[in-house]
Amino acid sequence: MVQAIVFPQEEDAMPRIVAHVDMNAFFAAIEQNAHPEWKNEPIVVCVFSGRTLDSGVVSSASYDARKLGVRAGMPIVQAKQLCAKGHFVPVNHTLYGQISDQIFTRLFAYGDAVEMASIDEAYADLTQKTQGDYAHAERLMREFQQKIQKEFNLGCSVGIAPNKLLAKIASDFQKPNGFTIVKPESVQSFLDPLPVKSLLGIGPKTEQQLVEKNIHTIAQLRACGAGELVALFGAARGQYFFHASRGIDESPLETNYEKQQRSSIWTLQRDTQDWNELRALVREKALELWDETAAQGKFFTQISVVGVDIALKQMTRSTTLNVACVSSEQLFSEVEQLFQSLLSNAPLPLRRVGLRVGGFASPPKQKRLNEFFG
DNA sequence: GACTCCACCGC
DNA sequence: CCTTCTGTGGAGTC
């Protein structure tokens, strides 16, 4: 075969190759490494809410804990019943974030572009580097997988496919330490037998709606007309499902993504409907949020508060400022008003409350950033 | 456009 | 039986 000379137009036309990397039981695996004496013992990483000794949920479970039925999202109390001898440790997001950064920094050497999709997932675009050659892509990503295992003692699953949608499903196909390649010619046969829930964006509620229409597999979803899907799910999601069921996804890697909002929500020691009981804590949290965003040079125009009542019903109140918020005092005063409005309409005492800021804009009064520090 | 709620994605 | 925390995007409503 003649070696093709690559012109810019042909570069654009080159079929994409995208890899998705998903760390296996990431938080639990890191904790396992931090405690080598727990080898082959169940480890359960927990978010303790602080309300009672064991209130809270499981964030991540090691494979030894999963064998006993422990799952992410499960109440800690329930996990302890399944796994009395397990090691229950609190989440340490800072540590996991640092390790995540180190791991995915290595990935930049393997692709043209990298998107860190979450703390334990990333995409790499391999199109140019491999010149569209799947065998080359496989060699590269197997090397990456082994490198991470060796260097960090952490396993990951890898999917390689023509786009992000399929690469993500492929990395999920075999776990742990899976390696799945979906070439363009086998996209449909790969997708068809999978449950609809395999598609990003189809969760429990949407799955239920589809099951009611007797749609269980992606093949059955593909048999639906675009019009029917749009009628059922609205324009955006309907069209997404139409394309996704065919394995079509042109979305590019988001390589310089910026957060749109920052929020924090916490569980109260005691349920309440009384602003005076919340005031001090809310104030503290508002100041923290101000400090964190100001430190990043971010100035927000949107402020919201959220309450979750004892029936777990959520309520929100929000406001949009004309000019970015200028001080922590202004933030707190806005938050106070929003909470008073929320509380006066809350039918039941609140169990959890939270704050959110977003709508990041230029700094107020056009001050130079460094005038805010020092 | 602003606001509120809902569904979903991670772990 | 008990239900954390963070962030995005869509839909309905006004």
Side-chain angles (χ1 to χ4, degrees):
Chain A
M1 202 183 107
V2 181
Q3 191 70 40
I5 300 166
V6 179
F7 293 99
Q9 295 93 325
E10 291 176 66
E11 275 184 16
D12 292 339
M14 175 116 54
R16 297 169 74 202
I17 299 187
V18 176
H20 182 254
V21 177
D22 190 331
M23 302 304 299
N24 302 144
F26 189 46
F27 297 177
I30 291 173
E31 295 296 343
Q32 190 129 41
N33 287 339
H35 303 273
E37 69 277 16
W38 295 346
K39 196 170 167 57
N40 300 323
E41 292 171 26
I43 295 173
V44 184
V45 181
C46 302
V47 181
F48 292 100
S49 71
R51 156 170 292 233
T52 62
L53 191 61
D54 278 341
S55 66
V57 295
V58 172
S59 177
S60 173
S62 70
Y63 281 89
D64 291 303
R66 289 183 197 194
K67 278 187 220 154
L68 302 172
V70 180
R71 294 288 180 273
M74 179 180 278
I76 294 165
V77 170
Q78 199 178 334
K80 287 203 167 172
Q81 288 166 4
L82 293 168
C83 179
K85 289 186 173 171
H87 301 282
F88 290 77
V89 298
V91 282
N92 182 352
H93 265 284
T94 313
L95 173 65
Y96 314 149
Q98 287 166 356
I99 294 175
S100 169
D101 284 346
Q102 290 174 33
I103 289 172
F104 294 129
T105 299
R106 307 290 191 277
L107 189 55
F108 283 87
Y110 292 77
D112 317 318
V114 171
E115 171 183 341
M116 297 196 191
S118 76
I119 196 163
D120 84 320
E121 279 176 62
Y123 296 93
D125 194 318
L126 305 177
T127 309
Q128 298 306 322
K129 181 152 239 166
T130 62
Q131 292 292 292
D133 176 359
Y134 272 82
H136 188 182
E138 175 170 2
R139 287 196 299 278
L140 284 174
M141 292 311 296
R142 285 208 187 267
E143 187 187 312
F144 176 78
Q145 193 180 38
Q146 284 160 18
K147 183 187 180 72
I148 297 311
Q149 183 63 62
K150 234 182 178 168
E151 193 172 340
F152 297 91
N153 193 28
L154 293 170
C156 62
S157 295
V158 174
I160 299 179
N163 57 47
K164 287 170 66 176
L165 173 86
L166 292 163
K168 164 122 177 121
I169 299 174
S171 72
D172 200 47
F173 191 66
Q174 293 175 293
K175 280 177 159 181
N177 300 315
F179 200 101
T180 303
I181 301 177
V182 180
K183 293 186 187 178
E185 60 269 24
S186 51
V187 165
Q188 214 62 74
S189 59
F190 173 71
L191 282 181
D192 276 352
L194 297 177
V196 287
K197 214 180 168 309
S198 313
L199 294 176
L200 197 60
I202 299 190
K205 299 276 181 180
T206 312
E207 183 187 32
Q208 188 51 41
Q209 273 180 279
L210 289 166
V211 163
E212 279 162 19
K213 294 247 153 199
N214 205 29
I215 297 166
H216 299 86
T217 65
I218 297 184
Q220 289 169 326
L221 184 62
R222 188 158 55 95
C224 292
E228 190 186 348
L229 292 171
V230 169
L232 265 172
F233 298 105
R237 298 178 68 215
Q239 286 178 42
Y240 166 72
F241 293 160
F242 182 84
H243 288 123
S245 63
R246 287 161 178 76
I248 298 168
D249 170 34
E250 314 259 306
S251 61
L253 271 63
E254 300 288 337
T255 52
N256 37 17
Y257 140 95
E258 295 214 28
K259 264 189 223 168
Q260 306 291 305
Q261 52 184 230
R262 264 216 65 107
S263 66
S264 80
I265 181 167
W266 62 97
T267 300
L268 301 171
Q269 291 285 335
R270 223 178 68 177
D271 305 326
T272 184
Q273 231 166 328
D274 178 0
W275 170 242
N276 290 321
E277 283 194 41
L278 294 175
R279 195 187 146 93
L281 197 52
V282 167
R283 189 185 170 83
E284 194 180 303
K285 297 280 186 181
L287 298 189
E288 273 175 32
L289 204 51
W290 172 266
D291 288 345
E292 283 172 28
T293 52
Q296 293 168 17
K298 297 217 170 197
F299 297 89
F300 50 85
T301 55
Q302 292 161 10
I303 301 168
S304 359
V305 305
V306 58
V308 181
D309 71 20
I310 54 176
L312 298 183
K313 187 178 159 48
Q314 273 205 31
M315 287 150 288
T316 58
R317 288 292 182 277
S318 69
T319 186
T320 305
L321 309 173
N322 291 322
V323 186
C325 187
V326 296
S327 68
S328 55
E329 285 313 312
Q330 186 193 0
L331 171 60
F332 179 66
S333 130
E334 297 286 350
V335 161
E336 180 165 41
Q337 287 176 49
L338 292 168
F339 264 122
Q340 274 162 352
S341 157
L342 189 149
L343 286 163
S344 65
N345 289 292
L348 293 169
L350 301 185
R351 175 191 175 92
R352 311 177 62 216
V353 294
L355 304 175
R356 181 170 73 222
V357 298
F360 296 121
S362 24
K365 296 189 204 157
Q366 307 302 319
K367 272 195 180 188
R368 285 181 28 240
L369 287 189
N370 56 18
E371 289 180 49
F372 286 89
F373 306 107

